Amino acid sequence: MPTTALPDGRRPRVHFVSLGCARNRVDAEHMLGITQADGFDLLPEPEGADAVVVNTCSFIGEAKEESVNAVLEFCQLKTEGKIKSLVVTGCLAQRYVEELGTEIPEVDHFLGTSDYTRIADVLRNDLQLDRDDEGPAPERNLVTSDLRFLARYDLPRVNTLHSASAYLKISEGCDNDCAFCIIPKLRGKQRSRTMDDLVREAEGLARNGVKELTLIAEDLTAYGHDLPGRPNLGDLLRALGTVKDIRWIRCMYAYPRTFKENLVSAFTEVPNVLPYIDIPVQHASNRMLKAMKRGRDQERLREIMLNLRAKVPNLVLRSTVIVGFPGETEEDFAELVDFVEELRFERLGCFKYSDEENTAAINLPDRLPAKTKRSRWEKLMRRQRKISRAQQEALIGTVHECLVEGPSPESELLLQGRLWSQAPEIDGVTYISSPEPLKVGDIVKVRITQAHDYDVVGEVVEDPATPALPWGR
């Protein structure tokens, strides 16, 4: 075992920053686990750290700007001698390593999306610790274009959500060719993990107190098509449903392809699979869907959603859309607004289109000005806010399972949690009053007493016989 002591005798200390999506967050959690297993102390703040790792995002322009600003902030600490090593990882490094290497000389190493398991090795080199191998020191640019890495259940990981919730990344990469998206070039082709591997990770998370699993991938519904026997998402949900002590299983990022009966029925037949699914539609105008290369028209999208609503009681549908795509007319936008009004998604995210080089959309004519994109975004979100508020108010008086996350930042008299219908980080929260003390990770029954645009307020129901939504099965 190589030494983990610095010349002054103490253990090396590292601070991590992770930006972007939940999938990126899981990569950062593996890097936390790898460095911790290698003898590093993890610091929640950069003060006192020997090294800083910035795990970056480059999905759209705003994400790139945020990532660059974060890196530059830590470059100042490096220049001032307050940290010894600065490492940049993730999608921004994968996409712009040559440019970043030239423009930001303060960065010691760049690791791409398939290279992050080398994090302890590069930090050891920078901090002049013994390394695991006897080969040459790692190069500054460790970004490979061979995007085939796939994490396993036994790769060290530190869960950064609260102790009762965790993400489970079921695959890596994407085989879709959406005109606006750079992700397949940064993450590679679809690579599904085996069901056995995922069940073993879920079992390990459950042993550590996790009760809620949120399944994530670039394309959840493509799961298994690249594996022997071609298992599908429905098969996986049934396998994960057998894991002891996992109470909630949630599905995010489900591309709107064919929803076979095996998958649809899993939402009603597997007791711990929540009737919650995230299906990014991106638009509703057939002209825009074709330009976006989405492979589905409005009629098919409507059929998918209505079929799910008909067959899954108490279903919560989340989606995302893009406004301001090149060539989007007022008529196209009106179709999107009408579709949102019709489907009445319980949760909806909206992006303003961002030009991204090396995507098909970059060459399309009829760019829209930023003012138009902003105006359409605001109009759509005003509509959705009204839909959300009405749905929230309809919850008043009903009882739901709620996962306690800890003290509320809004009031010392309340706790904060999430109903089963609220996904971590991206949906609203529930403010809880309780006559008895509750612990983080408790799942309690809460009667909703107040509603806001996205958040609700509730009180713990003391009678254990009181029935609660959603399942009613």
Side-chain angles (χ1 to χ4, degrees), residues 174-329:
C174 184
D175 288 344
N176 297 312
D177 190 28
C178 301
F180 52 81
C181 187
I182 192 66
I183 296 301
K185 292 182 174 64
L186 305 181
R187 295 280 177 173
K189 292 292 187 181
Q190 166 92 17
R191 304 175 311 278
S192 301
R193 296 171 59 185
T194 67
M195 287 201 297
D196 177 68
D197 187 61
L198 289 164
V199 167
R200 294 180 77 171
E201 181 170 5
E203 289 172 342
L205 291 168
R207 285 194 294 271
N208 288 326
V210 168
K211 298 179 181 178
E212 174 190 35
L213 288 179
T214 299
L215 273 54
I216 58 174
E218 304 297 343
D219 181 356
L220 211 68
T221 45
Y223 174 78
H225 79 80
D226 54 324
L227 292 175
R230 296 174 67 87
N232 59 39
L233 181 59
D235 298 325
L236 177 62
L237 289 174
R238 285 174 167 78
L240 292 172
T242 66
V243 177
K244 183 181 178 182
D245 297 327
I246 296 296
R247 294 277 299 275
W248 293 356
I249 300 174
R250 187 187 309 277
C251 293
M252 304 294 297
Y253 311 115
Y255 187 92
R257 63 185 74 252
T258 301
F259 280 69
K260 295 182 178 179
E261 185 58 32
N262 178 49
L263 172 56
V264 176
S265 61
F267 288 97
T268 58
E269 293 175 358
V270 184
N272 48 359
V273 172
L274 296 173
Y276 180 115
I277 188 164
D278 169 38
I279 305 175
V281 297
Q282 307 304 5
H283 216 283
S285 158
N286 286 342
R287 205 173 67 84
M288 287 293 95
L289 289 166
K290 183 177 180 180
M292 290 178 172
K293 303 174 70 173
R294 287 293 289 174
R296 292 289 182 272
D297 59 20
Q298 182 185 129
E299 292 70 25
R300 179 59 180 144
L301 292 175
R302 179 182 290 105
E303 179 185 343
I304 289 171
M305 307 296 173
L306 295 181
N307 181 58
L308 285 166
R309 287 225 189 264
K311 294 184 176 179
V312 183
N314 303 304
L315 179 69
V316 170
L317 273 176
R318 170 175 250 285
S319 192
T320 52
V321 297
I322 297 172
V323 296
F325 191 79
E328 183 189 57
T329 65

Side-chain angles (χ1 to χ4, degrees), residues 246-462:
I246 296 296
R247 294 277 299 275
W248 293 356
I249 300 174
R250 187 187 309 277
C251 293
M252 304 294 297
Y253 311 115
Y255 187 92
R257 63 185 74 252
T258 301
F259 280 69
K260 295 182 178 179
E261 185 58 32
N262 178 49
L263 172 56
V264 176
S265 61
F267 288 97
T268 58
E269 293 175 358
V270 184
N272 48 359
V273 172
L274 296 173
Y276 180 115
I277 188 164
D278 169 38
I279 305 175
V281 297
Q282 307 304 5
H283 216 283
S285 158
N286 286 342
R287 205 173 67 84
M288 287 293 95
L289 289 166
K290 183 177 180 180
M292 290 178 172
K293 303 174 70 173
R294 287 293 289 174
R296 292 289 182 272
D297 59 20
Q298 182 185 129
E299 292 70 25
R300 179 59 180 144
L301 292 175
R302 179 182 290 105
E303 179 185 343
I304 289 171
M305 307 296 173
L306 295 181
N307 181 58
L308 285 166
R309 287 225 189 264
K311 294 184 176 179
V312 183
N314 303 304
L315 179 69
V316 170
L317 273 176
R318 170 175 250 285
S319 192
T320 52
V321 297
I322 297 172
V323 296
F325 191 79
E328 183 189 57
T329 65
E330 286 291 348
E331 291 75 17
D332 294 322
F333 176 66
E335 280 197 66
L336 175 59
V337 174
D338 289 345
F339 189 77
V340 168
E341 290 272 13
E342 176 190 355
L343 270 296
R344 302 189 69 80
F345 297 103
E346 283 77 9
R347 314 278 183 253
L348 183 74
C350 182
F351 291 97
K352 297 182 288 293
Y353 170 76
S354 171
D355 276 332
E356 299 299 326
E357 64 269 27
N358 297 319
T359 64
I362 197 71
N363 298 315
L364 294 176
D366 302 323
R367 289 291 187 280
L368 274 67
K371 182 179 180 180
T372 300
K373 290 189 280 189
R374 177 73 186 180
S375 174
R376 290 179 181 178
W377 182 89
E378 289 175 346
K379 180 177 180 179
L380 184 64
M381 292 314 294
R382 282 197 300 270
R383 293 290 186 94
Q384 178 59 28
R385 190 176 298 113
K386 291 180 180 179
I387 293 170
S388 177
R389 183 60 178 257
Q391 291 170 334
Q392 300 284 85
E393 290 178 347
L395 297 178
I396 293 175
T398 60
V399 177
H400 301 254
E401 285 192 352
C402 183
L403 178 65
V404 178
E405 294 187 313
S408 167
E410 302 296 324
S411 170
E412 62 183 15
L413 301 178
L414 298 173
L415 294 168
Q416 181 172 301
R418 284 181 295 105
L419 303 183
W420 64 269
S421 56
Q422 295 171 318
E425 300 189 285
I426 57 172
D427 292 342
V429 298
T430 300
Y431 299 106
I432 310 164
S433 62
S434 174
E436 301 295 333
L438 299 175
K439 306 187 300 297
V440 172
D442 284 348
I443 294 180
V444 295
K445 293 178 181 178
V446 170
R447 178 176 286 107
I448 306 304
T449 58
Q450 299 179 41
H452 303 284
D453 288 349
Y454 301 109
D455 304 325
V456 293
V457 180
E459 57 189 13
V460 172
V461 176
E462 297 184 68

